[in-house]
Amino acid sequence: GENVEQHPSTLSVQEGDSAVIKCTYSDSASNYFPWYKQELGKRPQLIIDIRSNVGEKKDQRIAVTLNKTAKHFSLHITETQPEDSAVYFCAASRAGGGNKLTFGTGTQLKVEL
Amino acid sequence: DADVTQTPRNRITKTGKRIMLECSQTKGHDRMYWYRQDPGLGLRLIYYSFDVKDINKGEISDGYSVSRQAQAKFSLSLESAIPNQTALYFCATSDSGVSYEQYFGPGTRLTVT
């Protein structure tokens, strides 16, 4: 089955700096890669996703890049703000396989003032 | 607003007891999922259902069972709870259409003593 590894497990940045979280996946048939944000005590919520026919996707301060050859994808957050502090999860799935998501173990991002 | 709800939100039970966690959704989605979240392990899939007549095991189904009573309802049961089933449980839904996004419920915090 699919295996998703996520690094780092914790990340501390100064407000205004950039943050990068990296994930690797094992199943070359995976073709859908979402990122979820989970604030303390809240449910995970999708912030951005990418499909394998695209190398990069951007939404305001958030971007995701995908390298299918190396089987890794990354989340980039620019101009970080305190409200970006949360746990971020990457995931991978075969969209044709019922969208069963395999999640990474999460990154605790702390944006310090 | 269309939403995913879970009951109960918190539950403390004793080893050996049977417990049911319930999930309801008003999004009209056909696919429903149960995950458990443990610190440092991310979210792991327990069971998933593509429609009322379709139930599938996820990566950690041992010790759990599910029932899809209607398109909008998906219940998770622990037949004989054990302490290592103490975790945060999330229900999620998705549409079988173009979007692959999964929408999560607020979670149920279960403690088995």
Side-chain angles (χ1 to χ4, degrees):
Chain A
E2 175 66 277
N3 181 51
V4 176
E5 295 190 358
Q6 181 171 349
H7 299 281
S9 57
T10 61
L11 179 59
S12 184
V13 300
Q14 294 292 315
E15 183 180 8
D17 287 349
S18 296
V20 180
I21 302 170
K22 298 181 179 182
C23 289
T24 60
Y25 61 98
S26 62
D27 186 352
S28 57
S30 289
N31 55 8
Y32 174 64
F33 307 93
W35 286 88
Y36 283 81
K37 176 183 180 182
Q38 186 179 26
E39 297 177 355
L40 188 63
K42 301 290 181 67
R43 69 189 79 185
Q45 291 191 299
L46 181 73
I47 55 171
I48 195 167
D49 57 12
I50 192 168
R51 303 188 188 188
S52 59
N53 59 346
V54 175
E56 183 174 358
K57 184 177 179 180
K58 195 172 183 178
D59 182 3
Q60 299 183 330
R61 297 185 297 108
I62 294 173
V64 56
T65 58
L66 171 65
N67 183 326
K68 287 189 295 182
T69 302
K71 290 190 282 188
H72 68 71
F73 55 112
S74 300
L75 178 70
H76 305 254
I77 305 174
T78 59
E79 301 172 21
T80 54
Q81 301 168 2
E83 53 265 38
D84 294 329
S85 296
V87 178
Y88 292 81
F89 292 98
C90 63
S93 78
R94 298 185 188 189
N99 195 23
K100 294 181 298 174
L101 292 174
T102 300
F103 284 86
T105 51
T107 296
Q108 174 75 62
L109 173 64
K110 184 177 181 181
V111 180
E112 298 177 334
L113 298 172
Chain B
D1 286 339
D3 202 1
V4 184
T5 58
Q6 293 182 233
T7 55
R9 295 293 312 280
N10 288 281
R11 181 71 183 267
I12 300 174
T13 192
K14 295 185 183 296
T15 297
K17 293 291 188 181
R18 184 179 188 275
I19 184 169
M20 179 181 288
L21 309 183
E22 297 186 339
C23 177
S24 294
Q25 53 112 348
T26 57
K27 290 188 168 295
H29 290 168
D30 49 355
R31 296 179 177 183
M32 299 187 74
Y33 312 81
W34 275 105
Y35 293 91
R36 68 176 277 176
Q37 183 175 25
D38 299 277
L41 294 178
L43 293 130
R44 292 179 293 166
L45 183 63
I46 306 172
Y47 270 95
Y48 61 102
S49 170
F50 291 166
D51 63 39
V52 175
K53 297 180 181 179
D54 183 83
I55 303 287
N56 303 278
K57 292 182 177 180
E59 60 179 302
I60 55 163
S61 60
D62 288 348
Y64 302 94
S65 63
V66 291
S67 173
R68 185 84 183 266
Q69 301 96 322
Q71 186 189 34
K73 296 184 182 295
F74 192 34
S75 300
L76 177 71
S77 293
L78 287 68
E79 297 300 328
S80 179
I82 55 177
N84 76 359
Q85 292 177 313
T86 293
L88 184 57
Y89 290 84
F90 285 102
C91 173
T93 73
S94 71
D95 193 349
S96 56
V98 176
S99 172
Y100 302 145
E101 180 174 358
Q102 290 192 16
Y103 296 82
F104 285 80
T108 295
R109 185 165 296 282
L110 176 66
T111 302
V112 183
T113 61

